[in-house]
Amino acid sequence: TLRLSLRPGSRARRFPGRAMRGARGVRVALLCVLLEARLGLSSPLDSRGFLREVYPVHELPLSMRVRQVPGDGNCLFNALSVALHYAETGQHGANSLPELRNLSGTMRQLAVDVLTGSRNISASVAKIEEHFRDINAASGSGRKLRTRAASGGLCLGGRRRRLYLEHGQRVSPEHLVQSVAETYDTSCDVYCQRMRQDGKWGGGPEIVALSNALRRPIHVYELLSADSRFFMRLIARFGSPKFDDLEALHILSADSRFPSVRPGDQSLTGNHFLALFPCEGEAQGDHLRPPNAVLEQFKPDAGPSKAQT
């Protein structure tokens, strides 16, 4: 049996890929940020969509910067696209909406290509490589593409290879898709057809597929709170340690109301993905670390339900 459950009903590994607010709500939020900046009012987001606060990670010497992405049903692919952009270019960039939608859409198609064993994997990989090659050429950075995309190794003669999860575990693409399709009372073919459509929620199977296709680890975090403070906990290291020679992509599964929701009032399961960027906790100061009283609640033998008590 797998150590982690990829079924949407599992609290410990539930990775739905959509925010409740929708594209209109994100546009309104960005307009509010610009208005607040002009009026000199404080906002949790800066002009590039980064949260102003830095959040500690439980039991790791790290703190995380958080970047918001559109909650249009594509948030998983949006968040991974923003994280991959920085990993490949060394720059956060403006990430214009058309540019983000283009890369996000390609990432979505690549994920489904891997899950279905499609021969279009090579074409999707080539589009991603070209995207970043053009950006680096335009910036004059001379930076080489770092992603070693597995364009041909995931589908040979129509047979799909088993995908790497974490810590030596492997699983077949069929099992990944079936585990989710059953929860929606649908077939694997229908699930994959729907997943190719813009705005359809992505989750665990798509994360695993992209980690294997890009040959990069993808680390997933959950949002916790205690003593009226938010912090994060690493809950999955997809692709590690097999692909650890390349920088991991980090994403957060959180309540779509974060950071506006009060600590302790957030949903127990995330419904929106955001991009994360690590910074060393020690460099940020001890005030970013959870207090001892908080850490006591999250010892390894503590149940997950205590996270929200």
Side-chain angles (χ1 to χ4, degrees):
T1 59
L2 300 179
R3 190 178 70 82
L4 61 135
S5 171
L6 298 177
R7 292 176 181 271
S10 169
R11 185 203 178 282
R13 291 293 185 271
R14 184 182 180 191
F15 303 139
R18 183 174 183 175
M20 302 299 290
R21 66 188 66 170
R24 179 179 299 177
V26 172
R27 287 195 294 268
V28 171
L30 292 176
L31 288 174
C32 289
V33 169
L34 296 175
L35 179 60
E36 289 170 340
R38 175 165 295 185
L39 296 177
L41 302 176
S42 61
S43 167
L45 299 177
D46 65 18
S47 59
R48 292 191 301 174
F50 278 95
L51 273 62
R52 299 184 187 280
E53 187 172 348
V54 180
Y55 298 90
V57 179
H58 175 55
E59 292 187 339
L60 292 177
L62 294 174
S63 296
M64 289 289 182
R65 296 192 67 197
V66 184
R67 188 167 188 178
Q68 183 61 274
V69 297
D72 54 2
N74 305 303
C75 61
L76 170 62
F77 306 102
N78 290 337
L80 288 173
S81 295
V82 168
L84 184 61
H85 184 282
Y86 180 76
E88 289 294 349
T89 68
Q91 302 176 11
H92 289 294
N95 287 119
S96 66
L97 188 57
E99 177 185 341
L100 178 59
R101 287 183 61 85
N102 179 60
L103 179 57
S104 175
T106 303
M107 296 274 276
R108 174 187 288 277
Q109 298 308 314
L110 176 58
V112 182
D113 287 342
V114 172
L115 293 176
T116 59
S118 170
R119 296 186 181 275
N120 293 327
I121 292 176
S122 297
S124 296
V125 166
K127 288 183 65 176
I128 294 175
E129 291 176 340
E130 182 180 5
H131 174 86
F132 289 113
R133 191 176 292 115
D134 290 345
I135 291 176
N136 287 330
S139 65
S141 66
R143 189 182 179 102
K144 294 183 179 180
L145 189 73
R146 301 178 64 192
T147 287
R148 304 162 304 155
S151 59
L154 296 173
C155 179
L156 296 176
R159 296 181 59 189
R160 286 171 278 178
R161 288 187 175 181
R162 292 169 65 84
L163 302 177
Y164 187 87
L165 289 174
E166 57 179 340
H167 305 303
Q169 294 178 310
R170 292 182 180 273
V171 65
S172 69
E174 295 90 344
H175 182 82
L176 277 178
V177 175
Q178 184 178 8
S179 67
V180 176
E182 288 178 352
T183 65
Y184 293 115
D185 193 25
T186 188
S187 68
C188 294
D189 288 343
V190 170
Y191 173 84
C192 290
Q193 290 171 7
R194 290 175 178 172
M195 188 53 59
R196 286 198 183 278
Q197 300 174 16
D198 181 74
K200 297 299 182 181
W201 301 8
E206 291 72 40
I207 297 173
V208 173
L210 286 172
S211 174
N212 281 264
L214 300 175
R215 315 290 287 181
R216 276 186 183 274
I218 298 178
H219 293 179
V220 184
Y221 299 75
E222 66 178 342
L223 185 68
L224 302 175
S225 65
D227 293 351
S228 300
R229 298 172 65 180
F230 283 121
F231 61 99
M232 300 175 191
R233 178 165 59 184
L234 178 62
I235 56 175
R237 296 179 174 92
F238 294 118
S240 289
K242 183 176 178 63
F243 306 136
D244 279 352
D245 56 328
L246 282 184
E247 179 183 353
L249 307 181
H250 303 267
I251 56 176
L252 172 67
S253 175
D255 188 322
S256 62
R257 298 171 297 168
F258 171 74
S260 299
V261 64
R262 292 191 309 174
D265 290 344
Q266 76 272 19
S267 173
L268 296 179
T269 54
N271 59 358
H272 181 53
F273 285 105
L274 303 95
L276 297 179
F277 301 93
C279 51
E280 294 184 4
E282 292 182 356
Q284 296 297 322
D286 290 338
H287 67 286
L288 293 176
R289 300 175 182 271
N292 290 334
V294 175
L295 296 179
E296 286 296 320
Q297 300 183 48
F298 297 97
K299 289 182 177 179
D301 59 348
S305 61
K306 292 184 177 182
Q308 305 301 328
T309 59

